[in-house]
Amino acid sequence: MNLALWLARASRDFAERDALFHGTKSVASYAVLGRLVAQTATWLSERGIRVGERVAIFMPNRPDYLPLLYAVWYLGGVVVPVNAKLHPKEAAWVFENSGAKLAFVMADFNKALENELNSKSVIELVPLNSNSLLEFSVDCIPMAPVERNNDDLAWLFYTSGTTGRPKGVMITHGMLSAMALNYFVDVDAVYKDDVTIYAAPMSHGAGIYNLMHVLRGAGHVYPLSGGFDPSEIFTLAAHFGSAHMFLTPTMIKRMSQIASKREDKPKGFRTIVYGGGPMYVADIIEAVDIFGDVFVQIYGQGECPMAISVLSRKDVSDRSHIRWKDRLVSVGKAQSIVQVQIVDEAGTALPFGSDGEIMVRGSAVMPGYWNNPEATKTTITNNWLITGDIGAIDKDGYLTLRDRSKDLIISGGSNIYPREIEEVLLMCPGVEEASIVGKPHPEWGEEVVAFVVPKAGYEIRKEELDALCEHNIARFKRPKHYVCLNELPKNSYGKVLKAGLRKLI
Ligand code: AMP
């Protein structure tokens, strides 16, 4: 089924409801959104876009985003959302790799992109100005969504590329509908008076999460800043009164820091789903103390978007269970639409509690990478997705992620998981951020190097960090070197670039 039908039905069933907001101002009802989408689909098809062809969207979160996404789906096309923070050179690479025929871009970027595109490139760039809402399609006759099957492509999701070039994950209509429907089963409810605030990039999880809000006829709020500005988010949540958001752990940490300096308590947050990177225990405890029981954690990856496991609202906030802290470290239990197992290097399933590679299969798992059969072959085996993450499942079904397998450090034959050491260093009151990498060592294979970012006004002493590690972790895991940095290198989604850190040692 074509996912665009959900929007077509929403525009009929919730016609009068406000669908899109720019800041606090309503800019389209569901009826208007439906018409915009259906006319823009016609405009695209008059422009020569056919079923199965790719259309890129390279812009910050703004009200045009959703209409464009659905317009492409209406005519059976495939969207290629590109993170707005990418350099025009990187965006041009994604356009060409995806074979996109057309790309919607912000007018200010048009020139820079033209300069970066290969001279043989046939892509058409469509520049949009900042108050667009797609006026170019007003004279087009609205069309109805074309038929699509569950295994037809809907979205090419370019991985965040913490190592090497990003790969295009093929996301189908069936994967997205399974993920969205399962959200109601495992993650949260959505009510008609809710709004979702697009603070994290829509080219990633926040955009994928639009579906449940369309299904329920809820509002879609685009911050005027076009992204993540904590003060603006506080104002928007208080204004709307029942806000939903998807945020990364680093964004939540920033929200807590700002909230703790404000006089008024945060208001209007109903659900904040977090994921996309490790949430350190001290940070989520602080966030729950400040915001209350609004958090749900998900674990996913582009290859199985938002749908590997979930740590429920209760597990995140209820401190009465004897193992509540262990559960808080975990990423929760497998979502209902997937099967998760832990295997050793030979691919043999491991018993409860053993660390190994996390494998996933089920209806949210990708069929493969775009035009990259070699990468597909090494990532999918017998319908199982090899996640590249290491973890263990306890007897109650809770999955704990240790680290990315390529970040694992092996010293003197023993496995060391960076995350475990990072958690300890973050216990130091002067440490803002910490990241651990392995440095080649002639005798031990690798040794542990810690990168730390001090909090403003603090000076971190090596002895203080050594003492913390001595009290909390085995000797062989303790960092041999500490390097102080002003900030950690991160990619455009805020993930720490360990490859960048390794170059510094
Ligand atoms: P991406 O494909 O860019 O979404 O990145 C996916 C990767 O982010 C996963 O393979 C994990 O390594 C990491 N990740 C996603 N969700 C979580 C989470 N809840 N906790 C820790 N790491 C996560």
Side-chain angles (χ1 to χ4, degrees):
M1 184 195 113
N2 188 342
L3 282 172
L5 279 170
W6 288 351
L7 197 267
R9 291 173 191 163
S11 71
R12 177 196 65 200
D13 297 345
F14 313 119
E16 302 304 317
R17 272 194 217 158
D18 292 318
L20 306 180
F21 293 88
H22 200 199
T24 53
K25 184 169 163 247
S26 169
V27 291
S29 63
Y30 266 96
V32 171
L33 172 60
R35 187 175 42 74
L36 263 179
V37 166
Q39 288 177 318
T40 306
T42 303
W43 183 88
L44 281 166
S45 92
E46 285 171 358
R47 216 79 184 177
I49 306 296
R50 299 281 166 262
V51 171
E53 289 184 337
R54 276 80 56 213
V55 174
I57 305 176
F58 180 46
M59 61 174 66
N61 298 353
R62 43 196 306 281
D64 286 348
Y65 216 108
L66 218 53
L68 289 176
L69 201 79
Y70 280 93
V72 176
W73 287 344
Y74 253 56
L75 61 81
V78 180
V79 286
V80 187
V82 183
N83 189 326
K85 290 199 185 129
L86 289 193
H87 187 280
K89 197 190 277 297
E90 296 168 307
W93 184 88
V94 173
F95 292 174
E96 281 167 0
N97 184 270
S98 65
K101 265 192 115 174
L102 188 146
F104 291 100
V105 303
M106 293 311 292
D108 349 346
F109 274 94
N110 202 37
K111 193 88 218 115
L113 282 161
E114 271 173 6
N115 292 340
E116 296 300 346
L117 285 166
N118 185 323
S119 56
K120 291 195 215 86
S121 178
V122 289
I123 187 169
E124 178 186 357
L125 299 182
V126 179
L128 299 175
N129 60 35
S130 52
N131 45 15
S132 149
L133 276 198
L134 316 177
E135 69 281 355
F136 54 79
S137 66
V138 284
D139 293 329
C140 296
I141 297 168
M143 67 178 277
V146 303
E147 287 193 5
R148 295 267 74 196
N149 290 325
N150 273 1
D151 52 5
D152 285 326
L153 265 191
W155 182 310
L156 277 187
F157 175 103
Y158 277 79
T159 56
S160 35
T162 47
T163 50
R165 286 281 199 199
K167 295 188 280 289
V169 174
M170 298 197 283
I171 298 182
T172 63
H173 286 264
M175 287 164 67
L176 288 178
S177 74
M179 181 286 303
L181 298 178
N182 195 61
Y183 182 92
F184 299 121
V185 175
D186 285 339
V187 183
D188 196 26
V190 175
Y191 302 103
K192 70 175 178 40
D193 294 327
D194 286 352
V195 295
T196 181
I197 304 178
Y198 295 115
M202 289 189 73
S203 51
H204 204 264
I208 290 178
Y209 265 3
N210 86 76
L211 294 158
M212 297 79 73
H213 300 88
V214 167
L215 274 170
R216 289 282 182 261
H220 304 258
V221 178
Y222 296 85
L224 294 176
S225 62
F228 179 68
D229 172 351
S231 307
E232 187 183 13
I233 293 169
F234 287 118
T235 310
L236 290 173
H239 172 83
F240 286 103
S242 187
H244 166 281
M245 275 190 298
F246 172 73
L247 294 178
T248 59
T250 45
M251 288 172 168
I252 291 176
K253 185 169 177 170
R254 187 87 196 102
M255 297 264 292
S256 300
Q257 282 166 345
I258 307 255
S260 56
K261 292 196 193 109
R262 290 164 61 104
E263 275 172 17
D264 46 338
K265 255 182 100 60
K267 279 199 293 282
F269 293 98
R270 196 175 72 70
T271 302
I272 301 179
V273 180
Y274 65 92
M279 171 60 100
Y280 297 103
V281 175
D283 294 341
I284 187 64
I285 290 180
E286 183 188 20
V288 172
D289 287 343
I290 295 173
F291 291 88
D293 64 345
V294 302
F295 296 98
V296 182
Q297 180 179 203
I298 60 96
Y299 158 51
Q301 54 178 209
E303 292 80 349
C304 184
M306 318 302 271
I308 302 179
S309 69
V310 55
L311 186 69
S312 71
R313 189 186 294 265
K314 182 163 188 296
D315 279 332
V316 176
S317 52
D318 179 4
R319 297 179 188 165
S320 62
H321 193 277
I322 188 163
R323 297 190 56 212
W324 72 273
K325 261 200 179 168
D326 293 339
R327 292 186 171 178
L328 212 46
V329 177
S330 82
V331 290
K333 298 180 177 183
Q335 293 197 25
S336 301
I337 47 170
V338 293
Q339 188 182 351
V340 179
Q341 68 170 357
I342 308 291
V343 300
D344 65 13
E345 277 154 23
T348 311
L350 291 169
F352 297 129
S354 311
D355 289 341
E357 178 96 32
I358 301 170
M359 310 251 285
V360 188
R361 70 182 284 169
S363 43
V365 169
M366 67 163 184
Y369 294 109
W370 177 250
N371 276 347
N372 198 340
E374 301 80 40
T376 301
K377 214 162 126 200
T378 53
T379 310
I380 306 260
T381 152
N382 295 329
N383 297 319
W384 283 96
L385 166 71
I386 305 169
T387 60
D389 290 317
I390 299 178
I393 299 178
D394 71 14
K395 62 174 181 16
D396 298 324
Y398 287 81
L399 169 67
T400 299
L401 245 64
R402 306 287 181 219
D403 246 298
R404 298 288 296 160
S405 52
K406 58 181 179 296
D407 293 333
L408 174 75
I409 300 172
I410 304 181
S411 187
S414 300
N415 287 354
I416 301 176
Y417 298 111
R419 163 131 187 217
E420 196 189 347
I421 309 167
E422 288 158 6
E423 292 269 13
V424 171
L425 295 179
L426 285 166
M427 289 153 81
C428 172
V431 173
E432 175 75 34
E433 287 185 296
S435 188
I436 298 288
V437 296
K439 176 180 176 186
H441 186 277
E443 196 178 340
W444 300 107
E446 280 184 291
E447 61 181 4
V448 175
V449 180
F451 287 88
V452 284
V453 176
K455 278 193 185 147
Y458 277 91
E459 198 182 320
I460 304 175
R461 287 182 311 109
K462 175 177 178 303
E463 297 71 34
E464 202 180 348
L465 300 179
D466 274 341
L468 258 177
C469 292
E470 206 176 312
H471 282 103
N472 290 286
I473 42 175
R475 178 177 291 277
F476 74 95
K477 298 180 187 171
R478 295 183 204 153
K480 299 290 176 295
H481 309 278
Y482 293 98
V483 183
C484 255
L485 294 178
N486 290 334
E487 57 181 340
L488 297 176
K490 302 204 178 97
N491 71 9
S492 51
Y493 287 111
K495 295 196 193 212
V496 175
L497 292 166
K498 296 219 173 189
L501 290 175
R502 285 188 200 102
K503 285 191 195 136
L504 300 178
I505 51 178

